[in-house]
Amino acid sequence: MPSAHRPTRIGMIVPSSNTCLEPQSYRILGDREDVTIHFTRIPVTRIALDDSSDKQFDSAIMREAAALLATADVDVIAWNGTSGSWLGAAHDEALVREITEATGIPATTSTLAYLEAFKTFGTERIGMFTPYTGDVNQAVIESYAREGLMTVDHRHLDLINNESFARVTDAEMLPGSLELAAANPDALIYLCTNLYGANITAEVEETTGVPVLDSVAVTLWHCLKLAGAPLLAPRWGRLLAELPR
């Protein structure tokens, strides 16, 4: 007979051209055996502010992907993409309601994970680093402002092709990260689940004293929180290793 005991299972809906979040999520978990992650992909290849880009994030596509993950008896489902940060929190809130209504499984998104982290840690002023274009950054800034968040400074790499984001190196991210930290935000965020920001989180925190929140780490943190599992090691962001106050 199969055992009644199993690890916590996290289901993640992944942009098809994302090559970062799967290996990075398991790298963050390290040698933990109490959690497993299970992925399904949807077609996403470019990030821009136009109808063809927005259609990649249609809720019907997300529901189909969530239904597949539900067959693996996962404990939580996450849309592991940051589209809600420019489409608006209401977009993702509606999406998770649809997923939970269709599957009976708690759900979140990278955007909602960030908003939960900001609320949990009292974050009101952020510095933001993205691989996106300037207009996407501006849309995010305006969306965050509606949630009561101030972006004190930001950097963008002007990339559109989603696959290219994962090829941004640590050396390319570090100078802009240090400049953003100099503005003394409550937290520096790496906004994109196809960007290896978690690689330099510990270095930036140690060098500047500013807390860092990376999209891959934040999404995993919120999934663990929803599933009632232990949180993350401090090296992936010291805030994410703390229990909610």
Side-chain angles (χ1 to χ4, degrees), residues 124-173:
E124 297 178 346
R125 302 168 65 256
I126 62 169
M128 183 174 69
F129 189 106
T130 85
Y132 307 138
T133 54
D135 59 341
V136 173
N137 266 32
Q138 189 58 43
V140 175
I141 290 168
E142 293 171 4
S143 176
Y144 274 174
R146 292 192 290 272
E147 302 299 322
L149 296 159
M150 175 185 294
T151 303
V152 297
D153 200 1
H154 67 105
R155 296 290 183 276
H156 51 90
L157 300 179
D158 290 320
L159 302 176
I160 293 176
N161 177 10
N162 192 64
E163 183 276 331
S164 70
F165 302 164
R167 291 186 274 117
V168 175
T169 66
D170 297 354
E172 290 170 324
M173 286 187 282

Side-chain angles (χ1 to χ4, degrees), residues 8-230:
T8 296
R9 294 177 183 166
I10 296 172
M12 291 186 175
I13 302 170
V14 182
S16 59
S17 52
N18 186 312
T19 61
C20 168
L21 76 84
E22 291 160 306
Q24 191 75 313
S25 293
Y26 267 110
R27 188 174 293 120
I28 291 170
L29 284 179
D31 60 1
R32 288 178 59 169
E33 298 181 353
D34 64 311
V35 180
T36 60
I37 312 176
H38 309 277
F39 306 94
T40 191
R41 290 176 175 252
I42 65 168
V44 177
T45 58
R46 59 189 292 273
I47 300 299
L49 300 182
D50 57 49
D51 288 343
S52 65
S53 178
D54 290 349
K55 287 178 182 177
Q56 298 174 117
F57 312 113
D58 184 79
S59 62
I61 298 172
M62 299 285 189
R63 288 197 306 273
E64 290 179 7
L68 291 175
L69 289 169
T71 66
D73 191 28
V74 295
D75 298 294
V76 61
I77 294 172
W79 157 230
N80 208 334
T82 55
S83 53
S85 59
W86 60 87
L87 295 176
H91 175 276
D92 278 17
E93 289 166 352
L95 173 63
V96 299
R97 283 196 299 271
E98 289 186 36
I99 288 174
T100 299
E101 288 172 3
T103 66
I105 298 170
T108 188
T109 72
S110 182
T111 296
L112 298 182
Y114 262 125
L115 293 177
E116 178 65 19
F118 297 151
K119 177 182 176 182
T120 299
F121 306 120
T123 303
E124 297 178 346
R125 302 168 65 256
I126 62 169
M128 183 174 69
F129 189 106
T130 85
Y132 307 138
T133 54
D135 59 341
V136 173
N137 266 32
Q138 189 58 43
V140 175
I141 290 168
E142 293 171 4
S143 176
Y144 274 174
R146 292 192 290 272
E147 302 299 322
L149 296 159
M150 175 185 294
T151 303
V152 297
D153 200 1
H154 67 105
R155 296 290 183 276
H156 51 90
L157 300 179
D158 290 320
L159 302 176
I160 293 176
N161 177 10
N162 192 64
E163 183 276 331
S164 70
F165 302 164
R167 291 186 274 117
V168 175
T169 66
D170 297 354
E172 290 170 324
M173 286 187 282
L174 191 56
S177 301
L178 297 179
E179 291 169 2
L180 290 171
N184 196 33
D186 296 333
L188 165 62
I189 72 168
Y190 293 114
L191 187 71
C192 177
T193 64
N194 200 24
L195 189 70
Y196 280 94
N199 285 357
I200 59 173
T201 289
E203 179 180 357
V204 172
E205 288 191 337
E206 183 177 353
T207 301
T208 69
V210 174
V212 176
L213 297 172
D214 165 76
S215 292
V216 176
V218 165
T219 308
L220 181 55
W221 166 84
H222 197 213
C223 289
L224 293 169
K225 187 177 179 182
L226 288 173

